Amino acid sequence: MAAAAAAYEKLKLHITPEKFYVEACDDGADDVLAIDRVSTEVTLTVKKDVPPSAVTRPIYGVLGTIRLVAGNYLIVITKKKKVGECFSHAVWKATDFDILSYKKTMLHLTDIQLQDNKAFLAMLSHVLNVDGFYFSTTYDLTHTLQRLANTSPEFQEMSLLERADPRFVWNGHLLREFAAQPEIHRFALPVMHGFIAMHSCSINGKYFDWLLISRRSCFRAGVRYYVRGIDSEGHAANFVETEQIVHYNGSKASFVQTRGSIPFFWSQRPNLKYKPKPQISKVVNHMDGFQRHFDSQIISYGKQMIVNLVNQKGSEKPLEQTFAKMVNSLGNGMVRYVAFDFHKECSRMRWDRLQLLMDQLAEQQDEFSYFLVDSDGKVVTQQEGIFRSNCMDCLDRTNVIQSLLARRSLQAQLQRLGVLHVGQRIEEQAEFEKIYKNAWADNANACAKQYAGTGALKTDYTRTGKRTQWGLIMDGWNSLIRYYKNNFSDGFRQDAIDLFLGNYSVDEVESVSPLHVQKDWKFLALPIIMVVAFSMCIICLLMAGDTWTETLAYVLFWGTASFGTLAIIFYNGRDFVDAPKLVQKEKMD
């Protein structure tokens, strides 16, 4: 990559009452980014302009700027951890951030504004505390090897920010001011969100690098139950591109897969039930968004093999039927469809039955192939198509299937590169198999924490190849935490993501803040009535009346009152969950 295209790696932040100065400390650099704390103007200057009185600290990158109620804020990376090397380019995980106010005091704010500003800052901190922000100052992490190989010389000259795939740049909104000024692009660091694992491995005494990269899309991003299906542009919820890379003796091989929500208009809003019933929208033309989705997927990846893993009975059944019907109506030879009822096929721990699906997809996988470039940089094979897997959340079931498809591709790649001998299987290489399984399980956990709020389910199978009793207990625990978060904290999480990605912009002059939604009387009264009635029921049981009939009458009365209230609460479930306040999700459903 041309030096001019790389971002600065060594930075110092100098703070004065008037300005923030970000100084480039790379060899031979004299650039300083000056941000005026009053006019908010961003300009390029030189080292001698930094006042000696400034307070100085090292930083590792500028995430960008955002406007809140109190004015503008600068977000910087304050800690990083090395993940590994990607073709001798260092790849880092950002582990700590700082949010710095341009304004020196908050005296210009009313109490309500102060409260709102605090809430917005808490939202930003929440997003930044979700594990999984990665960057490199010299390598473009947002593109697959195949995309990078099919670029023009002009592309190589572009800055990292210009050439990055906008789908996977999570601080694109925060860097919008920087994007407009090419002279400061070397200070603009595109950051992706997802998961990266890098391992140096050895099989038969042959050393190779094995990488797994999952890139989460920032279009239609959000949390599990509030963001489902697609938007009018055809962007799918929880869309993740996962690339597995092998680097051996100068040759590089890559296999790419995608996951994303079922691509038509449906929703599954939380309502206190363990599993809310999915609703397919009856008022929109599904085909428009559906077609847009697959048109863009075909442009990006070629042929599409949809692997739909949802249940084919119960509340998930209509989604499977609609999906199959729409692929048929689309009538596009580039889009094929396979449905596999994962839970039914693998019920009672019959995980060996996954082989049925693998056999069904084998011919297709051989046809799609993988991307391979030899040590001279010559492209040997291209990946002609992609597996687009989904379940309901595109987390647990999807991850299991993706790890099996990736292993089958890896088997072919390692044989072709001469790492594996004829007849040898990856499964027999105990040391590598352990690295492989754990990385895929870690990938599952990262994607699940980012979308559902807890680690993934079924990772015991990914890690060990077997379903264990302990794994079932852990799944139960994670399901319980997911239930709590999805009902009582996901509104805040969704608002945080919408603010961070710019789906909602804070308006300085907004008279009524969207954060102050008046709750209905039911919201406060019913839970109190329920708790009082339940307590009375217990007290009556413990302090028996004169006769057992009297005790029974009291217990029945208070018991009926508490269960009746509970029933009313569940009936009005939607009023009791923590719903997003910033972006009207109905618009997006």
Side-chain angles (χ1 to χ4, degrees):
M1 171 184 261
Y8 287 123
E9 186 178 354
K10 300 187 180 88
L11 301 169
K12 272 186 193 156
L13 176 65
H14 308 280
I15 303 175
T16 71
E18 295 76 38
K19 290 186 177 179
F20 294 124
Y21 296 94
V22 181
E23 177 193 350
C25 302
D26 295 30
D27 295 341
D30 192 38
D31 284 354
V32 173
L33 185 71
I35 301 171
D36 192 305
R37 295 176 68 172
V38 182
S39 71
T40 75
E41 194 186 2
V42 182
T43 51
L44 197 60
T45 176
V46 289
K47 294 190 181 182
K48 65 175 194 301
D49 290 349
V50 179
S53 60
V55 178
T56 302
R57 56 193 279 202
I59 58 168
Y60 300 106
V62 176
L63 209 63
T65 61
I66 191 166
R67 146 160 244 103
L68 300 182
V69 185
N72 274 28
Y73 283 80
L74 173 71
I75 308 178
V76 294
I77 300 169
T78 54
K79 280 188 194 155
K80 65 177 182 177
K81 181 177 152 201
K82 191 165 181 181
V83 184
E85 302 249 330
C86 185
F87 318 123
S88 62
H89 295 277
V91 173
W92 305 90
K93 182 191 228 176
T95 54
D96 211 355
F97 305 86
D98 218 343
I99 306 170
L100 306 164
S101 173
Y102 284 32
K103 294 273 198 294
K104 292 175 280 298
T105 83
M106 298 287 160
L107 297 173
H108 58 296
L109 300 182
T110 64
D111 283 351
I112 287 184
Q113 285 176 318
L114 261 174
Q115 214 180 323
D116 285 357
N117 201 60
K118 212 168 145 187
F120 288 132
L121 282 170
M123 287 177 191
L124 291 179
S125 297
H126 174 83
V127 175
L128 295 171
N129 283 331
V130 176
D131 205 19
F133 288 103
Y134 298 89
F135 67 91
S136 168
T137 55
T138 55
Y139 185 77
D140 188 347
L141 287 173
T142 64
H143 286 295
T144 62
L145 288 189
Q146 184 158 319
R147 283 202 292 273
L148 287 174
N150 295 331
T151 55
S152 62
E154 295 83 65
F155 179 86
Q156 302 300 329
E157 297 299 317
M158 288 179 184
S159 67
L160 278 179
L161 181 61
E162 285 172 296
R163 54 188 266 170
D165 187 327
R167 294 178 299 168
F168 306 124
V169 179
W170 270 64
N171 56 337
H173 170 68
L174 303 177
L175 288 175
R176 70 202 177 288
E177 284 182 28
F178 288 39
Q181 294 173 258
E183 72 277 9
I184 61 172
H185 276 192
R186 293 194 68 185
F187 288 97
L189 188 66
V191 173
M192 64 155 260
H193 197 218
F195 176 77
I196 300 181
M198 299 179 162
H199 295 279
S200 292
C201 311
S202 154
I203 294 178
N204 298 326
K206 291 168 184 169
Y207 289 86
F208 61 95
D209 290 329
W210 180 79
L211 288 72
L212 186 62
I213 304 178
S214 277
R215 308 172 176 100
R216 295 190 70 217
S217 172
C218 58
F219 298 138
R220 196 155 175 77
V223 297
R224 185 187 187 199
Y225 281 143
Y226 283 112
V227 183
R228 294 292 209 199
I230 51 169
D231 60 18
S232 54
E233 303 288 301
H235 299 304
N238 198 20
F239 183 86
V240 183
E241 172 187 275
T242 301
E243 179 176 24
Q244 176 180 268
I245 298 171
V246 175
H247 185 206
Y248 173 67
N249 261 356
S251 294
K252 301 171 201 168
S254 138
F255 178 65
V256 180
Q257 305 178 69
T258 58
R259 64 176 82 185
S261 193
I262 297 176
F264 44 82
F265 298 94
W266 62 285
S267 58
Q268 195 178 14
R269 306 296 293 268
N271 56 7
L272 296 182
K273 294 196 171 78
Y274 178 67
K275 240 180 149 181
K277 196 172 175 201
Q279 308 285 336
I280 299 173
S281 169
K282 294 184 172 67
V283 292
V284 293
N285 175 1
H286 291 285
M287 209 57 200
D288 277 358
F290 189 81
Q291 189 148 11
R292 273 190 186 162
H293 175 73
F294 281 108
D295 286 349
S296 72
Q297 294 304 298
I298 290 166
I299 290 166
S300 296
Y301 304 107
K303 291 176 185 161
Q304 300 285 305
M305 182 73 206
I306 299 162
V307 183
N308 187 0
L309 304 167
V310 303
N311 299 344
Q312 289 171 28
K313 61 177 203 296
S315 66
E316 296 180 13
K317 183 182 177 182
L319 292 169
E320 194 279 313
Q321 290 174 321
T322 308
F323 202 171
K325 203 160 73 195
M326 289 185 71
V327 174
N328 257 340
S329 316
L330 188 65
N332 184 336
M334 298 282 278
V335 182
R336 290 176 230 171
Y337 178 89
V338 163
F340 180 83
D341 189 332
F342 189 105
H343 286 150
K344 181 180 155 218
E345 295 294 345
C346 303
S347 60
R348 298 196 295 281
M349 305 266 204
R350 291 179 308 172
W351 289 68
D352 51 289
R353 294 179 64 82
L354 290 173
Q355 196 50 48
L356 296 174
L357 177 62
M358 289 300 112
D359 294 344
Q360 200 178 346
L361 299 175
E363 192 184 332
Q364 191 73 63
Q365 188 168 5
D366 295 340
E367 183 199 316
F368 286 171
S369 186
Y370 46 82
F371 175 74
L372 178 64
V373 59
D374 66 19
S375 49
D376 301 327
K378 192 170 127 297
V379 174
V380 183
T381 59
Q382 299 258 16
Q383 187 175 332
E384 305 286 343
I386 205 158
F387 289 97
R388 183 208 188 277
S389 310
N390 73 271
C391 42
M392 290 296 280
D393 300 321
C394 309
L395 294 176
D396 316 313
R397 294 174 268 190
T398 297
N399 201 72
V400 170
I401 295 307
Q402 284 198 338
S403 71
L404 295 176
L405 286 165
R407 181 196 271 123
R408 193 172 176 278
S409 181
L410 188 62
Q411 174 78 32
Q413 291 165 12
L414 292 179
Q415 268 172 342
R416 185 163 186 172
L417 293 170
V419 175
L420 284 175
H421 304 321
V422 181
Q424 269 189 324
R425 315 254 336 130
I426 291 179
E427 290 89 327
E428 298 151 8
Q429 316 305 318
E431 206 175 314
F432 176 73
E433 182 70 350
K434 191 176 172 186
I435 291 173
Y436 180 87
K437 284 178 168 168
N438 279 318
W440 271 96
D442 293 342
N443 176 58
N445 273 334
C447 292
K449 279 193 180 115
Q450 292 156 7
Y451 187 55
T454 75
L457 313 182
K458 307 179 180 61
T459 51
D460 54 331
Y461 178 78
T462 315
R463 284 190 204 281
T464 62
K466 291 196 283 289
R467 201 70 168 101
T468 60
Q469 298 296 338
W470 175 246
L472 287 173
I473 293 165
M474 284 311 294
D475 281 3
W477 175 247
N478 272 330
S479 298
L480 205 67
I481 305 242
R482 274 187 196 182
Y483 172 79
Y484 174 80
K485 285 194 169 174
N486 296 160
N487 284 287
F488 305 113
S489 70
D490 268 5
F492 174 81
R493 286 176 61 219
Q494 183 62 48
D495 283 342
I497 292 167
D498 283 330
L499 176 69
F500 189 86
L501 294 176
N503 300 331
Y504 174 83
S505 294
V506 176
D507 186 354
E508 249 191 313
V509 293
E510 202 161 30
S511 49
V512 185
S513 159
L515 296 175
H516 302 281
V517 179
Q518 281 301 306
K519 285 286 188 187
D520 195 71
W521 65 270
K522 288 195 298 254
F523 184 75
L524 293 168
L526 289 172
I528 293 169
I529 294 169
M530 190 187 86
V531 170
V532 169
F534 188 69
S535 309
M536 291 300 291
C537 182
I538 300 294
I539 290 166
C540 293
L541 272 174
L542 297 175
M543 300 169 66
D546 298 341
T547 63
W548 69 270
T549 45
E550 188 185 346
T551 306
L552 186 67
Y554 279 129
V555 168
L556 280 174
F557 173 76
W558 289 116
T560 309
S562 58
F563 280 109
T565 325
L566 186 66
I568 296 168
I569 288 173
F570 266 87
Y571 182 73
N572 295 289
R574 276 203 177 185
D575 297 338
F576 288 88
V577 297
D578 176 39
K581 300 182 177 87
L582 298 184
V583 178
Q584 286 303 307
K585 276 285 165 268
E586 269 71 17
K587 275 196 316 210
M588 296 173 72
D589 280 350

